[in-house]
Amino acid sequence: MCGIVGAIAKRDVVPVLIEGLKRLEYRGYDSAGIAVLNGGLQRVRRVGRVVEMENEAKAQQLTGFIGIGHTRWATHGGVTEDNAHPHFSQNEIAVVHNGIIENHEEQRARLKALGYVFESQTDTEVIAHLIHYYFKQSNDLFAATRQAVSELEGAYAIGVVTPQMPGIVCCARVGCPLLIGVGEGENFFASDVSAIISATRKVIYLDEGDVALVTSESITIVDRDGHAVTRPVRISEISADAVDLGPYQHYMQKEIHEQPRALTDTLEGVLAEGVTPALFGPDAEEVLRDADSVLILAAGTSFYAGQVARLWVESIAKIPCNVELGHEYRYRDSIPNPKQLIVTISQSGETLDTMEALKRAKELGHTKTLSICNVRESAIPRASKLTFFTRAGAEIGVASTKAFTTQLAALFILTLVLAKTRGRLTPQQEHDHLEALRHLPGSVQHALNLEPQIQAWAERFAHKEHALFLGRGLHYPIALEGALKLKEISYIHAEAYPAGELKHGPLALVDSDMPVVVIAPNDVLLEKVKSNMQEVHARGGELYVFADLDSHFGEAEGVHVIRTPRHMGVLSPVVHAVPVQLLAYHAALKKGTDVDKPRNLAKSVTVE
């Protein structure tokens, strides 16, 4: 449930809705739909791209002065037209929804007992019927929406319309972003300002728990307690959004939530052009073709990205790959190999440890150099033969978030290029990997929707002095990254280990006062990870498990589970990076530390 847009105007809003949905495509989705008021509710939904839905809307000559639209990424229920948004109740209520309703099964049973018939498998249809139930009692859409959302558990941003009150739109949010666009004789709402930027630059960001009643001339907002509130009108400057916190409390939180967009922008080239060496520069094919191994040089979070990439490169491209900390490589005796590709990773392009390691490699005779960086015209890319710029945008928070996940995306692209230049990537494999990349931003968006659950976990972490993170295979570096994030900004001591190493020492630390975070996706190592979890549980340890929707184990006493929507295969580390970022952020928030500027640390590390 990845993008929503709505409009109420004195003109046909269908073109506005469709353009807004196109601007939200970066979030990833598998179906799209719009509904308008025009003598009743009229709806068009289609599985596939927005353009397919647009063509059908044109064929039906769909028009209306009030409407809502949605791009969906399937969670509850498969990719079908019946499961696509908007959802109706009795042809009297239409709803679009981002997020996940955790108590949907309980509400579904209640509503069925009241006589409601469900046409989809989604959690969203519960919202439509619940609002309808209260609307029948009050004939007041605003009151019905407020009552309904007070009974929802989970994360949501919703838009609601009814032909019984054709002059209003209602919207609400908890856990998922939602803003209102202010126009002249028309108003809008959307999950992202980009969806409405062509219509207005004036936006109101709704706070957590806000419910709004929007007409073409007015906006009324109440907070979660039902008190009327005024939220400031801001002028959106998309080109300057890096310095505008918008609805967020900190830059780190903002940058965590920008990851779907950053990944979409970073992946744009490979999704448009396919797997080609040209993505890394005009000389890339010549440089990469005869590289017989890879050495990745980095520091901090970028080093963990490199550790994930090592496993990708050796598994998919089938060539040796090593990863070293730049400051260690620089001062040790190494055996140069002119055919080795040297890959440096740096968010700023100015990281001194990495820059000096690159210089050392070149002194040793290495000429095959490639930089993965987020800042154009910085030192490390200028010193490299090949470059790949991640398009994460300015990252202001000291603790790297969107830079990390876009580095992973860039390294996966490099892996595919290395495999293809060696004839180790079949056309079908290339197609499958590109499809997985196309869906990656949407999966990351769903990981973001877990924020309310993760926030509840963080309440418990904030009072701890130590934490242990476990992972295996591709997810061991994510455990390392989770531990780093927690200690960086909350100052809670945290360590990470491969889960299989637990019995070789770290298990001695486990007790009821040390939370143990486990990265446990549904991959080939899951059963091994479960065994490691039992080692912790048997000794009184408290487990906090990040799993996948299709992982077959549940919560128990001392075992807490949060599930990402579905397993993403070899790209799973990108998705699982998001929950550990959110855990660190909310633990730090609870402790009251300086999230964006943690003590003793700097964003661009230009000292040894």
Side-chain angles (χ1 to χ4, degrees):
M1 302 168 188
C2 293
I4 62 178
V5 62
I8 180 167
K10 298 170 183 175
R11 58 173 170 140
D12 181 16
V13 299
V14 170
V16 177
L17 298 177
I18 290 173
E19 181 180 355
L21 294 182
K22 288 180 177 179
R23 289 179 178 270
L24 292 171
E25 287 184 297
Y26 75 88
R27 290 171 172 259
Y29 67 103
D30 46 46
S31 61
I34 59 174
V36 296
L37 298 184
N38 191 343
L41 281 172
Q42 298 182 27
R43 173 176 61 181
V44 172
R45 299 180 293 176
R46 285 292 180 272
V47 170
R49 297 298 170 195
V50 171
V51 67
E52 297 173 44
M53 184 272 296
E54 178 186 15
N55 290 338
E56 182 60 22
K58 289 179 178 177
Q60 294 187 22
Q61 298 182 331
L62 196 69
T63 61
F65 294 162
I66 301 174
I68 53 179
H70 189 272
T71 54
R72 175 181 188 254
W73 181 258
T75 52
H76 298 80
V79 181
T80 67
E81 190 170 305
D82 285 343
N83 288 331
H85 297 216
H87 286 287
F88 285 5
S89 178
Q90 312 291 338
N91 285 320
E92 293 179 350
I93 298 290
V95 171
V96 288
H97 163 226
N98 287 348
I100 295 175
I101 304 304
E102 295 170 12
N103 62 336
H104 72 97
E105 291 181 350
E106 169 193 330
Q107 293 288 358
R108 182 183 289 259
R110 171 193 172 194
L111 289 161
K112 282 184 175 180
L114 290 169
Y116 285 93
V117 176
F118 284 77
E119 298 177 353
S120 78
Q121 301 162 315
T122 68
D123 54 342
T124 301
E125 194 176 356
V126 162
I127 305 173
H129 293 321
L130 195 58
I131 293 174
H132 183 267
Y133 173 72
Y134 287 114
F135 182 68
K136 285 195 304 180
Q137 299 176 24
S138 65
N139 290 315
D140 183 333
L141 185 63
F142 192 39
T145 301
R146 289 162 56 192
Q147 179 63 40
V149 299
S150 72
E151 299 177 13
L152 300 177
E153 297 174 7
Y156 56 81
I158 64 170
V160 191
V161 295
T162 176
Q164 273 66 42
M165 298 184 72
I168 70 169
V169 174
C170 291
C171 49
R173 70 162 293 246
V174 165
C176 296
L178 192 68
L179 58 88
I180 296 172
V182 183
E184 296 292 333
E186 56 187 20
N187 288 310
F188 313 88
F189 69 88
S191 48
D192 187 321
V193 68
S194 65
I196 57 171
I197 200 65
S198 63
T200 182
R201 289 184 175 273
K202 295 179 180 179
V203 296
I204 298 171
Y205 293 99
L206 295 183
D207 280 6
E208 192 83 348
D210 282 354
V211 184
L213 184 157
V214 182
T215 75
S216 60
E217 301 288 349
S218 65
I219 297 164
T220 303
I221 303 172
V222 298
D223 63 17
R224 65 166 69 245
D225 297 318
H227 300 136
V229 291
T230 300
R231 305 298 184 201
V233 178
R234 304 174 186 271
I235 305 301
S236 175
E237 305 239 358
I238 288 183
S239 61
D241 63 350
V243 296
D244 182 3
L245 277 173
Y248 301 106
Q249 291 182 263
H250 301 92
Y251 285 109
M252 181 180 179
Q253 185 191 27
K254 175 178 183 286
E255 288 155 10
I256 289 172
H257 281 268
E258 287 175 338
Q259 287 176 111
R261 176 86 242 182
L263 284 164
T264 298
D265 291 344
T266 298
L267 294 169
E268 182 180 28
V270 69
L271 295 180
E273 302 173 26
V275 178
T276 169
L279 294 164
F280 296 90
D283 301 323
E285 185 167 6
E286 179 184 351
V287 173
L288 299 177
R289 187 188 306 113
D290 64 342
D292 64 2
S293 60
V294 178
L295 173 62
I296 298 173
L297 301 172
T301 287
S302 297
F303 176 69
Y304 299 148
Q307 287 185 305
V308 175
R310 178 177 70 86
L311 300 178
W312 282 338
V313 169
E314 295 199 344
S315 174
I316 298 172
K318 307 295 185 186
I319 61 174
C321 181
N322 287 316
V323 189
E324 291 202 45
L325 292 162
H327 47 78
E328 293 297 310
Y329 172 82
R330 181 188 178 192
Y331 292 109
R332 74 170 184 85
D333 291 330
S334 60
I335 302 172
N337 172 9
K339 288 193 171 185
Q340 188 171 57
L341 176 67
I342 304 293
V343 179
T344 50
I345 313 172
S346 170
Q347 190 282 138
S348 67
E350 306 290 344
T351 309
L352 187 63
D353 293 330
T354 307
M355 183 69 218
E356 292 301 319
L358 176 59
K359 288 181 180 177
R360 175 62 175 160
K362 293 169 77 173
E363 288 170 359
L364 292 172
H366 288 281
T367 59
K368 296 178 179 294
T369 58
L370 186 156
S371 166
I372 293 174
C373 182
N374 193 42
V375 181
R376 293 181 181 274
E377 302 304 321
S378 53
I380 295 175
R382 287 200 309 268
S384 302
K385 181 78 171 175
L386 306 178
T387 57
F388 187 98
F389 290 105
T390 56
R391 296 172 60 189
E395 190 181 66
I396 296 171
V398 166
S400 182
T401 53
K402 61 179 179 176
F404 175 63
T405 49
T406 53
Q407 285 169 354
L408 288 173
L411 288 161
F412 190 74
I413 294 170
L414 175 62
T415 299
L416 298 183
V417 169
L418 289 170
K420 189 172 183 178
T421 57
R422 282 155 184 75
R424 293 167 184 160
L425 190 70
T426 67
Q428 184 60 50
Q429 288 171 332
E430 179 178 352
H431 172 270
D432 292 345
H433 286 310
L434 289 176
E435 280 301 297
L437 286 172
R438 199 181 311 278
H439 293 152
L440 184 59
S443 291
V444 168
Q445 181 63 47
H446 280 289
L448 290 169
N449 290 342
L450 300 172
E451 188 166 11
Q453 299 172 62
I454 295 168
Q455 187 173 359
W457 278 12
E459 295 275 337
R460 307 172 194 175
F461 274 72
H463 306 292
K464 303 295 184 180
E465 295 184 0
H466 309 278
L468 189 64
F469 285 70
L470 303 176
R472 296 194 77 146
L474 283 167
H475 298 87
Y476 167 48
I478 303 307
L480 287 164
E481 174 65 4
L484 175 62
K485 284 290 164 284
L486 189 65
K487 58 187 150 191
E488 270 185 310
I489 61 171
S490 74
Y491 315 145
I492 297 170
H493 173 245
E495 298 297 335
Y497 285 89
E501 190 69 8
L502 192 65
K503 57 188 175 291
H504 295 292
L507 197 57
L509 298 171
V510 171
D511 60 21
S512 59
D513 290 325
M514 176 178 277
V516 180
V517 180
V518 186
I519 315 300
N522 191 25
D523 61 14
V524 295
L525 292 171
L526 178 60
E527 293 304 317
K528 299 293 184 184
V529 172
K530 287 181 182 178
S531 298
N532 302 138
M533 288 165 53
Q534 288 300 321
E535 295 170 1
V536 173
H537 195 228
R539 289 156 179 84
E542 195 90 353
L543 287 156
Y544 294 83
V545 186
F546 289 116
D548 292 332
L549 193 62
D550 45 2
S551 294
H552 301 296
F553 60 90
E555 293 201 355
E557 185 176 353
V559 182
H560 314 283
V561 181
I562 290 178
R563 301 181 189 278
T564 58
R566 59 182 178 183
H567 185 50
M568 282 293 291
V570 292
L571 289 172
S572 175
V574 184
V575 178
H576 278 273
V578 175
V580 297
Q581 295 170 353
L582 289 169
L583 179 61
Y585 171 75
H586 283 290
L589 203 62
K590 182 66 177 176
K591 290 194 69 176
T593 61
D594 191 336
V595 174
D596 287 332
K597 299 177 182 177
R599 67 190 184 197
N600 306 330
L601 300 177
K603 183 62 184 171
S604 181
V605 183
T606 55
V607 296
E608 276 197 272

